Amino acid sequence: PKGCPTNVLFVHHKDFTTGSATQVFGLANSLNKLGCDCLVAVPNNKHTLSALGEAHFRAVEFEEVRKQGLSFRDGRGPDIVHGWTPREIVRRFCRLLRNQHSFLQFVHLENNEWSNTAKTLGRQLGELQTMAISDLDCLIPADLSHPQRAATFLEEADGITLVIEPLRELAPASVPAIELWPSADPNLFFPRTIDTALRSKYRIALNSTVLGYAGDTHPANANEVRSLYLAVAILNREGHPATLVRAGRDTCPFLGPDDSWARLHAVELGYLPHKQIPDVLGLADILVQPGAPNDCNDYRFPTKVPEYLALGRPVVLPATSIALHMRHLQDAYIVPKLDALAIVDAVRTITADVALYRQLASGARAFLDKRLSRNASSRSLFDFYRTISEADSHRRDERQTIGKRTVQAAP
């Protein structure tokens, strides 16, 4: 139909090894089934796409586009360019494309970008917001959002997608926006029995309660990840054998100068291709997302959480983000602040009650099936694209009609 988008380009801020890339991967695959031709542009390392599974779209690198241009199967350029966050590396690339093509610009918000910028730089947000734009240009690296330029980028967008509703507070009220929850790849993440042979390979004791976590450590979540190690240490000290199984990279020190206490009961696997994550998380008895309500967690929805739910294991969450839509002791085990002591209490409670363990395991999967459908999210995004595209087409038709009338009325 007229105004319906055909060619969709996602512009991601990193390669396909990041958590948010899994959401782009799923959306691009699903949109292709709805009749779109999707491309995903990444700064580099497009080969990492293979780690996510079978892709029904093509990946390109920024430099390829700069040198060779951008075209879809029909030989045209993009109808939609969806910048995955307003970070500088994305904003600049979208600006480059604007000089070559005419398209509708969408921007995705996946966290409190301005708070993240301030914390990463060790500055106060108020200080950054009052700095001269020329000074900010010298200070803000490409992988963070510019306090002023990102705001303008959002204001000039045709549409905004939000990973969680509270981000609407940070989006311009004049720009249409929709909430777009992440999901899990059903080909990878599904209920499975614990692989005892794999546990044995990693020398995990048969009587050990295994906690699972998949994610990188960075300045914004360093204390939260540390709480996992601390909880496991406390459990073992108090006579409850426990092991942390973790996949992910450390981008900052977070365990202190003497970390032997923390690593004693941890299986640390570092970065793993996404296709291997389900087997690793499948080793766990309980999956944990530590944290607390704050200016970071209130505005994000970790993509690992739907994957946890999909595995059919009890999931322990802080009372923020998606947990506010879930039932405590039914869909997940939810506490106001999920620090080390709260993790210890949760593990003790869940493992001591077989009925509760089973309810949390089945409830996690049921919540995913009911509320976090990948197909539903893709359809919602497609309809959003179409609504904005049809409105834009209607405005262009009106301008053309007015122009023709003006010419005809001219003396």
Side-chain angles (χ1 to χ4, degrees), residues 32-90:
N32 270 1
K33 294 178 182 178
L34 293 173
C36 296
D37 182 14
C38 291
L39 294 177
V40 178
V42 292
N44 46 44
N45 300 326
K46 69 177 183 181
H47 66 274
T48 56
L49 175 60
S50 63
L52 297 183
E54 184 180 0
H56 302 291
F57 59 87
R58 184 163 56 94
V60 294
E61 295 182 4
F62 289 5
E63 192 60 25
E64 287 182 76
V65 176
R66 291 189 182 99
K67 291 180 178 179
Q68 304 169 18
L70 180 70
S71 64
F72 289 74
R73 287 196 299 259
D74 60 8
R76 299 187 304 108
D79 301 308
I80 299 283
V81 172
H82 201 150
W84 214 253
T85 79
R87 298 181 193 184
E88 276 297 274
I89 194 167
V90 171

Side-chain angles (χ1 to χ4, degrees), residues 258-332:
D258 178 11
D259 58 9
S260 58
W261 64 270
R263 303 192 190 279
L264 182 62
H265 302 289
V267 177
E268 299 173 297
L269 301 173
Y271 167 75
L272 292 176
H274 194 65
K275 290 185 288 188
Q276 296 181 25
I277 297 298
D279 290 335
V280 171
L281 293 180
L283 294 173
D285 298 294
I286 299 171
L287 297 163
V288 185
Q289 174 63 37
N294 55 40
D295 61 358
C296 175
N297 291 325
D298 292 350
Y299 297 93
R300 64 191 292 257
F301 184 167
T303 54
K304 68 174 79 67
V305 172
E307 295 170 352
Y308 287 0
L309 299 172
L311 290 171
R313 297 282 198 278
V315 178
V316 184
L317 300 171
T320 185
S321 185
I322 188 61
L324 300 180
H325 300 268
M326 303 173 76
R327 299 169 299 170
H328 176 47
L329 303 182
Q330 296 292 316
D331 308 318

Side-chain angles (χ1 to χ4, degrees), residues 107-380:
V107 183
H108 183 68
L109 287 175
E110 64 182 15
N111 58 36
N112 188 333
E113 291 290 333
W114 293 267
S115 175
N116 185 49
T117 294
K119 287 181 178 179
T120 303
L121 295 177
R123 302 288 191 107
Q124 294 295 317
L125 180 56
E127 174 193 1
L128 294 176
Q129 291 173 330
T130 58
M131 288 178 65
I133 194 166
S134 57
D135 293 334
L136 284 171
D137 289 343
C138 297
L139 179 65
I140 306 298
D143 61 347
L144 294 177
S145 289
H146 191 295
Q148 296 184 35
R149 297 195 185 279
T152 301
F153 187 38
L154 289 168
E155 290 167 359
E156 294 176 347
D158 297 286
I160 295 172
T161 54
L162 316 165
V163 77
I164 198 77
E165 182 65 22
L167 283 165
R168 197 176 294 269
E169 301 170 19
L170 307 180
S174 59
V175 180
I178 63 165
E179 188 179 46
L180 199 65
W181 283 354
S183 186
D185 187 340
N187 297 313
L188 296 176
F189 294 89
F190 49 82
R192 63 191 68 206
T193 58
I194 292 174
D195 188 338
T196 55
L198 192 55
R199 275 197 179 187
S200 178
K201 174 185 174 181
Y202 292 128
R203 299 180 180 179
I204 299 173
L206 292 177
N207 66 339
S208 184
T209 299
V210 178
L211 307 187
Y213 181 82
D216 297 342
T217 305
H218 45 76
N221 74 347
N223 288 335
E224 295 174 0
V225 179
R226 186 177 186 273
S227 70
L228 283 165
Y229 288 81
L230 184 57
V232 168
I234 293 171
L235 284 165
N236 281 283
R237 186 186 66 192
E238 296 183 351
H240 186 125
T243 304
L244 172 64
V245 174
R246 178 180 161 231
R249 297 164 290 200
D250 296 334
T251 64
C252 65
F254 67 101
L255 291 173
D258 178 11
D259 58 9
S260 58
W261 64 270
R263 303 192 190 279
L264 182 62
H265 302 289
V267 177
E268 299 173 297
L269 301 173
Y271 167 75
L272 292 176
H274 194 65
K275 290 185 288 188
Q276 296 181 25
I277 297 298
D279 290 335
V280 171
L281 293 180
L283 294 173
D285 298 294
I286 299 171
L287 297 163
V288 185
Q289 174 63 37
N294 55 40
D295 61 358
C296 175
N297 291 325
D298 292 350
Y299 297 93
R300 64 191 292 257
F301 184 167
T303 54
K304 68 174 79 67
V305 172
E307 295 170 352
Y308 287 0
L309 299 172
L311 290 171
R313 297 282 198 278
V315 178
V316 184
L317 300 171
T320 185
S321 185
I322 188 61
L324 300 180
H325 300 268
M326 303 173 76
R327 299 169 299 170
H328 176 47
L329 303 182
Q330 296 292 316
D331 308 318
Y333 193 97
I334 303 167
V335 299
K337 180 181 180 182
L338 193 54
D339 57 13
L341 292 179
I343 294 171
V344 169
D345 289 342
V347 170
R348 287 191 174 281
T349 301
I350 294 169
T351 55
D353 189 334
V354 174
L356 175 61
Y357 186 97
R358 290 174 177 168
Q359 171 58 49
L360 291 171
S362 62
R365 180 68 205 196
F367 183 86
L368 176 99
D369 291 338
K370 183 177 181 180
R371 302 292 304 276
L372 298 176
S373 162
R374 174 172 284 185
N375 289 337
S377 290
S378 302
R379 185 76 227 188
S380 177

